[in-house]
Amino acid sequence: MTESPSERPVLVLNAGSSSLKYQLVVPETGEVRARGLVERIGESGSEVADHSAALQSMAERLRGEGIDLEGLSLRAVGHRVVHGGPGFSEPVAIDDEVLDRIRELSALAPLHNPAAAIGIEAARKRFDVPHVAVFDTAFFASLPPEASTYAVPRDLAEKHAIRRYGFHGTSHQYVAQATADLLGRPVEDLRQVILHLGNGCSASAVRGGHAVDTSMGLTPLEGLVMGTRSGDVDPGLHAYLGREAGLSLDEIDTLLNKKSGVLGLSGVNDFRELEHRLAAGDAGARLAFDVVVHRLKHYVGAYLAILGGIDALVFTAGVGENSVSVRAAVTDGLEGLGIEVDRARNAARSKIARVISPTGAMVVVAVVPTNEELAIARQTADLVG
Ligand code: ADP
């Protein structure tokens, strides 16, 4: 049976160094035909030796679910790529040159881009369809210079491509549009602050559908307090830790990326677990929660000023979509700024986009589920036509 173009799915791949996330999505309808995760790629004792083997394992699993990838007339493969560097400001069709450029950006994203390149290479060998790279940084490529520039010597910044890139861009862009759809207003008319709160967390200021500021920077370490990342610290902390604690730069990098944030303060990085401990009266959990919320308020206030007022404050991703207490705490005391949540609306559980501010409030506070795979599938389909 041949399917009409509008029914043909896009395969969305997100390759990490030892994992491969996949989703088979019909971009027009959002229908998810299949999704899954292949883990432990290349690890000792694992049956999955490399990313080609991971694709084989994915294909076998799909066959087990009655989906024959080869016979499916796949429309395209969309690849999530973390870092687009200074050059990629929108999705691109992947050829050998693009793949080389993604690889060359590995200095900026040493954990992510090499894995993405390996995943792309394997997928291009296996699937003879157009391949598209969708970059996590792309939505922020248009940040105005005053927001993207670090106050360090310009020649050095130029030589090493140092700027604020921002991440989670696919999510922020998707949620900005989904919020406009929810409100039934053109995205061009809205000033939004979007809080993407998952394991990684980032805030963005969006005017008319375009990002004007974001909390992540050269790397995803800057900004909000996250599951295991510190977010903003005094840049002087690095030198201090080097001198006083005798840590190397790599050790400091690992400390701030993997052992800090909610984990460093409370001993757990998962937010549900944090909330359980909070309810049990754990002091470390209390401090972690309060630090997370304080930093969030700091950014909400900053972006309110940068945008000159906002129409919508939007919560998304695992914590943003699910944590009643975070949403309540972040908005608490902001009534004077027109920001408040309705207690019952905030407490209602739902998987769909919804407004949680009281009717007639000056600022709409909303919970809008993100869907990065669908966004990647749509951008991929748009590009290949
Ligand atoms: P990722 O950044 O890996 O995509 P997610 O967006 O899935 O992460 O968010 C993961 C986080 O969301 C975890 O800290 C998890 O504890 C939190 N989370 C998921 N469900 C809930 C819930 N019901 N209440 C509070 N936090 C939740």
Side-chain angles (χ1 to χ4, degrees):
M1 193 184 80
T2 53
E3 299 182 80
S4 78
S6 62
E7 289 167 354
R8 287 168 58 195
V10 169
L11 177 64
V12 177
L13 294 180
N14 182 355
S17 55
S18 66
S19 70
L20 179 76
K21 256 194 221 166
Y22 60 88
Q23 211 176 96
L24 200 56
V25 196
V26 181
E28 285 74 14
T29 59
E31 179 202 349
V32 178
R33 298 261 175 98
R35 59 155 62 95
L37 171 69
V38 182
E39 288 180 290
R40 305 194 58 221
I41 301 171
E43 288 178 10
S44 67
S46 166
E47 282 169 20
V48 192
D50 56 19
H51 285 73
S52 298
L55 289 171
Q56 178 61 25
S57 162
M58 170 190 79
E60 282 163 15
R61 280 194 213 173
L62 290 174
R63 207 166 299 133
E65 296 169 31
I67 297 172
D68 170 19
L69 270 182
E70 269 70 29
L72 186 70
S73 64
L74 203 58
R75 202 183 319 182
V77 182
H79 298 268
R80 173 173 189 252
V81 180
V82 165
H83 219 303
F88 293 113
S89 55
E90 42 194 63
V92 288
I94 299 172
D95 57 17
D96 292 343
E97 193 218 315
V98 167
L99 184 55
D100 282 344
R101 285 171 65 199
I102 290 171
R103 236 182 249 120
E104 283 162 15
L105 291 169
S106 293
L108 285 169
L111 294 178
H112 295 108
N113 273 40
I118 291 168
I120 290 169
E121 226 178 342
R124 283 177 85 207
K125 284 201 187 111
R126 182 161 188 130
F127 301 109
D128 187 18
V129 295
H131 290 252
V132 173
V134 178
F135 300 95
D136 228 24
T137 49
F139 184 53
F140 301 116
S142 61
L143 287 187
E146 64 272 20
S148 66
T149 305
Y150 289 110
V152 298
R154 288 173 68 185
D155 51 349
L156 190 75
E158 211 150 289
K159 182 163 174 223
H160 297 288
I162 298 168
R163 59 161 276 171
R164 306 190 60 254
Y165 288 99
F167 298 87
H168 293 148
T170 308
S171 173
H172 285 276
Q173 185 175 22
Y174 174 87
V175 169
Q177 182 59 53
T179 302
D181 295 345
L182 171 70
L183 304 186
R185 294 179 60 185
V187 75
E188 290 75 20
D189 290 355
L190 295 176
R191 295 164 301 173
Q192 310 185 45
V193 170
I194 298 170
L195 304 176
H196 175 113
L197 312 178
N199 286 311
C201 301
S202 60
S204 70
V206 178
R207 179 186 283 123
H210 300 284
V212 294
D213 209 345
T214 193
S215 60
M216 284 178 168
L218 175 72
T219 75
L221 181 56
E222 193 178 344
L224 301 173
V225 176
M226 319 184 200
T228 64
R229 295 189 193 120
S230 62
D232 296 336
V233 292
D234 181 341
L237 179 64
H238 290 71
Y240 184 80
L241 282 172
R243 280 196 314 268
E244 294 298 316
L247 298 182
S248 70
L249 279 177
D250 277 345
E251 285 169 336
I252 296 168
D253 199 45
T254 302
L255 178 85
L256 296 179
N257 274 291
K258 302 247 162 87
K259 300 177 185 165
S260 297
V262 172
L263 176 67
L265 292 173
S266 74
V268 295
N269 71 294
D270 188 278
F271 221 83
R272 262 168 304 199
E273 182 57 30
L274 182 79
E275 291 188 340
H276 289 146
R277 293 201 178 188
L278 202 58
D282 183 281
R286 179 80 259 159
L287 181 64
F289 185 90
D290 291 346
V291 174
V292 164
V293 169
H294 181 82
R295 185 78 51 83
L296 279 163
K297 282 192 166 178
H298 175 105
Y299 273 91
V300 170
Y303 291 170
L304 209 73
I306 281 167
L307 290 166
I310 60 173
D311 305 293
L313 173 65
V314 191
F315 290 88
T316 193
V319 176
E321 291 166 29
N322 293 297
S323 175
V324 177
S325 60
V326 165
R327 296 192 301 253
V330 170
T331 50
D332 185 46
L334 304 188
E335 300 80 10
L337 300 168
I339 298 171
E340 56 183 313
V341 297
D342 176 275
R343 193 186 279 257
R345 286 182 181 178
N346 185 35
R349 300 252 160 222
S350 167
K351 291 269 169 230
I352 60 169
R354 58 204 184 270
V355 171
I356 58 170
S357 46
T359 307
M362 208 164 91
V363 174
V364 172
V365 182
V367 179
V368 178
T370 190
N371 192 339
E372 288 169 274
E373 288 80 10
L374 178 58
I376 291 171
R378 283 186 182 156
Q379 293 184 27
T380 298
D382 284 349
L383 195 77
V384 303

